[in-house]
Amino acid sequence: MPHRGLASHLKVSEQSVYEAVAYLSSDGLQGRKPGTQGIELAAQYLEGVFSDNGILPYFESYRDGFLHNGSPTYNIVGHIEGCDEVLKHEYVVIGAHYDHEGVVVGGGPEQDVVYNGANDNASGVTAVIEIARYFAARRDNKRSLLFCFFTAEEDGRKGSGHLTQRLKAANFPIYAMVNFEMIGVPLEDGTVYLTGFERSNMGACFNSYAGKVFFKALAAVPNLVLYWNSDNYPFNDVFGVPAHSVTTFNMENYGQVHTIDDEIGNLDIQHITGVINEMLPVIAAMASTQLKEITTT
């Protein structure tokens, strides 16, 4: 199992990224399907990331559980309180889904039967892990940060749907939400897409925080498909706040999605690491501006 403890540096390393993606997409986790031992192992690993880094549960435990297809399944949720006495009462939500498709039904013993889900979405989960470790080491975020690993996204965003309803009932003070979805291979120009770009000024603010044009809009069809079908959407739908996914998948640059070939050997670890490192100052700025600069349009 990869190292889960506090970041010893301010920049994410390729080795750390590789280890997390490799474990989460390994055959031993059997495709991380909700209700299986594989996703339970993933959940335990993610709980360990939080506990080893001093990231506290947001609820009574890290697990936000519910029944899905007759079996219990869990979002894994932790938080870091902000250091500003006023802004700490506002939350930035950072998330990614950790479930996937399981194994091929009826596959033979000599076949590769595991839907490893390396790009979808071990890559996104790793981004959230590294961002959580980074802020756990620094503790300089003025706003509070809620880190969420969602279950049952592949079955219609059931995990994020459950969590948003629970948070809404508790009058959760959300500012905005950033989701990570399939950042495993680069786009030709080295930028990233922000799904639903036109629905808020988040992209413009992120580019300002980054000091360059790094976040762009997808073409119309994949933009809408990825915006509505990822875990960002319930946060916009339930709370009405800016909520988008960061992705480098444009529905054409990675043909292994939802196949048994979505394995770590097909990913670009240097690229994933670069995206995460670009996101660190952006999230830091988002969590610390005095005004709520990011708004819906």
Side-chain angles (χ1 to χ4, degrees):
M1 185 177 291
H3 171 68
R4 303 180 310 200
L6 283 166
S8 59
H9 44 70
L10 298 183
K11 194 172 184 180
V12 174
S13 72
E14 290 182 26
Q15 182 63 30
S16 180
V17 168
Y18 178 85
E19 289 175 357
V21 176
Y23 178 70
L24 289 165
S25 63
S26 63
D27 284 354
L29 269 60
Q30 291 290 291
R32 309 185 308 276
K33 190 175 182 66
T36 67
Q37 180 61 22
I39 200 170
E40 172 61 23
L41 291 173
Q44 291 175 14
Y45 168 66
L46 296 171
E47 289 176 304
V49 169
F50 285 159
S51 63
D52 291 351
N53 287 278
I55 298 170
L56 298 176
Y58 184 73
F59 302 112
E60 60 277 5
S61 76
Y62 292 120
R63 298 196 176 207
D64 168 46
F66 60 99
L67 287 178
H68 176 62
N69 293 333
S71 298
T73 192
Y74 307 93
N75 299 310
I76 307 300
V77 187
H79 77 115
I80 298 175
E81 186 176 65
C83 62
D84 184 276
E85 287 302 312
V86 175
L87 294 179
K88 72 178 183 181
H89 300 293
E90 300 171 2
Y91 274 84
V92 173
V93 178
I94 302 166
H97 76 90
Y98 75 106
D99 66 302
H100 198 53
E101 298 281 358
V103 298
V104 177
V105 177
E110 303 302 318
Q111 294 178 279
D112 179 2
V113 298
V114 179
Y115 292 106
N116 300 86
N119 195 10
D120 185 15
N121 189 35
S123 66
V125 171
T126 298
V128 178
I129 289 172
E130 294 294 347
I131 292 168
R133 292 178 67 231
Y134 175 84
F135 284 102
R138 293 173 61 96
R139 302 282 171 167
D140 60 354
N141 49 291
K142 293 183 179 181
R143 289 187 174 87
S144 295
L145 302 174
L146 190 77
F147 297 101
C148 308
F149 299 108
F150 304 112
T151 186
E153 187 268 357
E154 301 288 4
D155 295 327
R157 308 184 314 268
K158 296 296 193 299
S160 55
H162 176 271
L163 179 59
T164 50
Q165 292 297 332
R166 183 177 183 183
L167 292 173
K168 181 70 171 180
N171 295 313
F172 178 68
I174 184 173
Y175 168 33
M177 190 271 181
V178 182
N179 186 58
F180 288 86
E181 179 79 46
M182 290 187 284
I183 59 168
V185 296
L187 298 163
E188 288 186 1
D189 63 359
T191 61
V192 304
Y193 287 137
L194 200 67
T195 63
F197 193 95
E198 72 288 347
R199 300 176 71 94
S200 82
N201 67 346
M202 183 181 287
C205 288
F206 277 13
N207 285 329
S208 176
Y209 301 155
K212 60 183 176 181
V213 178
F214 187 64
F215 301 88
K216 294 185 176 180
L218 277 159
V221 172
N223 178 33
L224 294 177
V225 169
L226 293 174
Y227 179 78
W228 285 328
N229 290 309
S230 296
D231 290 304
N232 57 280
Y233 182 69
F235 286 87
N236 175 259
D237 185 47
V238 171
F239 291 101
V241 299
H244 303 266
S245 288
V246 171
T247 185
T248 59
F249 175 62
N250 64 3
M251 301 185 72
E252 296 179 354
N253 66 333
Y254 191 77
Q256 296 88 349
V257 172
H258 288 190
T259 75
I260 59 172
D261 295 320
D262 184 6
E263 302 197 45
I264 191 170
N266 291 317
L267 302 191
D268 185 331
I269 298 299
Q270 183 179 32
H271 158 73
I272 299 171
T273 307
V275 170
I276 298 169
N277 279 316
E278 292 282 1
M279 287 300 305
L280 296 177
V282 170
I283 298 294
M286 182 185 188
S288 296
T289 57
Q290 288 300 313
L291 299 178
K292 289 183 177 181
E293 296 179 348
I294 300 172
T295 59
T296 55
T297 55

